Amino acid sequence: MAPTVLHLRSETKHLEHRSALTPATTAALIKAGYVVNVERSPERIFDDAEFEDAGATLVPEGSWVDAPQDHIIVGLKELEEKEFPLQHVHVQFAHCYKQQAGWETVLARFPRGGGTLLDLEFLIDERGRRVAAFGFHAGFAGAALALEVWAWQLSHNEPFPGVASYPNEDALIANVSKALNSGAEKAGRLPRVIVIGALGRCGSGAVAALRKAGVPEDNIVKWDMAETAVGGPFKEITDSDIFVNCIYLTSKIPNHVNLESLQTPDRKLTVVCDVSADTTSPFNPVPIYTVATTFDSPTVPVDGLKSGPKLSVISIDHLPSLLPREASEAFSYDLLPSLLTLNDFHNSPVWARAEKLFKDKVATLPASALEN
C-alpha cells in the first residue's frame, strides 16, 4: 500500500505565524511511514530548512490546490475566501460550524468539490474533550494584551497601536510587565481582572499570564461554571478594570455583559478581551461589539455608552500567534497521536467523529449553497 501523503500548506491569514505541524512532529510522522510535503512559507515561525532537516519535501507555496486528490491537506486557519470547490480532505480550523457570518459559503465549498473538512476545533476523544487546542496560549496572549491596553488607555486618547509576534514568552512578559508598572504608576494601583472560564485551558493560560506579569493574586477574580450558573449580566464584570472571556460555547446562555449592564454609573471596566472571539456567533455572551479585531488594529471601541470611561474590546481570533513557536509546539505535540492515525481516518475514532460532524453540518446547508 502506498504511504499516506500529508501536505502542509502555507498559511495565508495576515500575521499568522503558527503551524499545525512542527519539525518535530513532521519527523515523527515520517518515521511512522507518512510522506510529508511542506510548502515553503515566508510567514511560518519555523524555517523551511527545519522541515527539510526533519525529512520533509519542500514544495512551492500554494501548491496544495494542484496536489493529487488523495493527498491530505493540513493547515491551521481558514482558507482564503475563494469560489472554487475543494476536492481534498482538509484538516484545519474552518470557523463555519457555529453559524458564523458566511458559514454556508465556506462549508459548501467542500461538498461542491467532493472534499471533506476535518475541523481541528471539533476533534474530540471518547469523553468529549478536545484532543488538541490552542486554548492555553490564547488565554495567555489575550490577558497579556489586555494588560497592555489597560495601561495604554490611562495615558493615551488614540487607539492602542498594532502588535507583532514575540520570539518567546519571556520577551512578551517583559514587555507587559513594563507596561503594567507604568499603568499602575499612573492609576495609583494595579488593575482588578476578572477571568470567566478560569478553570479551563484558556482561563488557566489567562491567569498564568496575569501572575507572571505581576498582577497580585487578590486582584485576579477567577470564575467558572459555579459562579456563572445564576446567569448574567454580572456586576462583578463592570466592577473590574479588565474582563477576559474564556468561555467556549456551542449553545446560547445568558449574556455575561451587555450594553444595558454597561450603563451603570460606577463602571470601572475599560478593557474586554473576548478570547473566544466568536464575533458574529449568535451564542456570543459578550454582545457589545460586532467587529473582529486584528494584530494591526487590536481594539474596537464600544459604542452607545452614555457615561464612564472609554471601553475597548480585543477580539483577535488568532491570539496564540502572539507566541507562535511555543503555541505551535504545544498544539502539534498534543495533536500528534491523532495525526498518526490519519491514514485510516474513516475508522479512527477521533477522525471518524469529525467526519460524521462534517456530514451532519453539510446536511443543514440550503440547496442554493451547493450550486456550482
Side-chain angles (χ1 to χ4, degrees):
M1 182 184 295
T4 300
V5 180
L6 306 183
H7 184 117
L8 179 66
R9 60 176 174 82
S10 176
E11 298 296 322
T12 55
K13 190 178 183 73
H14 184 49
L15 296 178
E16 180 55 80
H17 305 302
R18 291 173 297 166
S19 177
L21 301 184
T22 66
T25 53
T26 295
L29 287 162
I30 292 170
K31 184 178 180 180
Y34 287 82
V35 171
V36 182
N37 295 334
V38 175
E39 291 186 8
R40 297 180 183 274
S41 173
E43 293 292 332
R44 193 184 294 124
I45 189 64
F46 304 101
D47 293 337
D48 294 340
E50 294 182 70
F51 285 99
E52 195 168 34
D53 291 344
T57 299
L58 297 181
V59 296
E61 184 178 8
S63 59
W64 67 267
V65 176
D66 299 315
Q69 192 170 349
D70 62 347
H71 289 197
I72 297 175
I73 313 302
V74 180
L76 199 64
K77 297 301 288 184
E78 62 272 20
L79 295 166
E80 290 183 289
E81 294 182 8
K82 303 284 187 181
E83 292 296 325
F84 65 88
L86 299 170
Q87 63 175 340
H88 298 93
V89 173
H90 284 259
V91 177
Q92 64 176 71
F93 290 96
H95 304 296
C96 62
Y97 281 1
K98 294 187 285 185
Q99 300 180 13
Q100 294 97 329
W103 70 274
E104 304 103 319
T105 302
V106 174
L107 180 58
R109 291 181 68 191
F110 296 93
R112 282 173 50 218
T116 299
L117 169 63
L118 302 176
D119 198 305
L120 289 168
E121 186 175 354
F122 298 93
L123 294 186
I124 57 173
D125 62 18
E126 64 280 358
R127 299 170 297 168
R129 183 174 174 80
R130 291 175 68 179
V131 300
F134 282 103
F136 182 90
H137 285 95
F140 194 99
L145 202 52
L147 290 176
E148 289 195 274
V149 173
W150 173 79
W152 172 270
Q153 292 184 164
L154 292 171
S155 303
H156 300 81
N157 291 320
E158 64 270 26
F160 185 73
V163 296
S165 297
Y166 286 83
N168 53 56
E169 180 185 302
D170 290 344
L172 171 62
I173 289 299
N175 201 56
V176 173
S177 296
K178 181 180 178 181
L180 182 63
N181 291 335
S182 175
E185 185 175 338
K186 181 75 175 179
R189 60 182 178 82
L190 288 162
R192 181 180 191 262
V193 186
I194 183 168
V195 178
I196 294 187
L199 297 182
R201 284 171 168 157
C202 179
S204 62
V207 171
L210 297 171
R211 288 170 175 160
K212 289 189 175 186
V215 178
E217 200 68 27
D218 288 346
N219 286 33
I220 305 173
V221 181
K222 299 178 282 290
W223 276 24
D224 209 86
M225 294 178 67
E227 292 81 3
T228 59
V230 296
F234 302 108
K235 192 172 187 303
E236 288 83 354
I237 292 177
T238 55
D239 284 346
S240 301
D241 299 287
I242 298 170
F243 164 39
V244 184
N245 178 48
C246 296
I247 294 292
Y248 175 83
L249 291 175
T250 56
S251 60
K252 185 62 180 172
I253 64 170
N255 294 325
H256 295 332
V257 64
N258 56 28
L259 280 175
E260 184 178 356
S261 72
L262 293 175
Q263 306 298 346
T264 179
D266 59 349
R267 173 176 58 86
K268 297 182 178 64
L269 187 69
T270 60
V271 181
V272 172
C273 181
D274 188 6
V275 180
S276 299
D278 281 331
T279 308
T280 61
S281 171
F283 308 141
N284 183 7
V286 191
I288 60 174
Y289 71 100
T290 58
V291 177
T293 63
T294 64
F295 284 143
D296 288 336
S297 183
T299 64
V300 60
V302 175
D303 296 324
L305 298 177
K306 298 175 182 176
S307 63
K310 175 183 177 180
L311 174 57
S312 296
V313 176
I314 302 164
S315 57
I316 299 170
D317 67 1
H318 60 133
L319 279 167
S321 204
L322 208 60
L323 291 170
R325 181 173 287 270
E326 288 147 317
S328 297
E329 288 172 342
F331 179 83
S332 196
Y333 176 83
D334 288 346
L335 186 62
L336 181 59
S338 299
L339 290 171
L340 289 168
T341 67
L342 257 178
N343 56 358
D344 189 25
F345 73 87
H346 293 297
N347 298 307
S348 173
V350 167
W351 299 110
R353 280 188 283 267
E355 185 180 24
K356 181 182 183 302
L357 179 62
F358 165 70
K359 291 177 179 178
D360 290 345
K361 294 296 182 180
V362 167
T364 69
L365 284 169
S368 58
L370 296 171
E371 296 174 357
N372 281 316

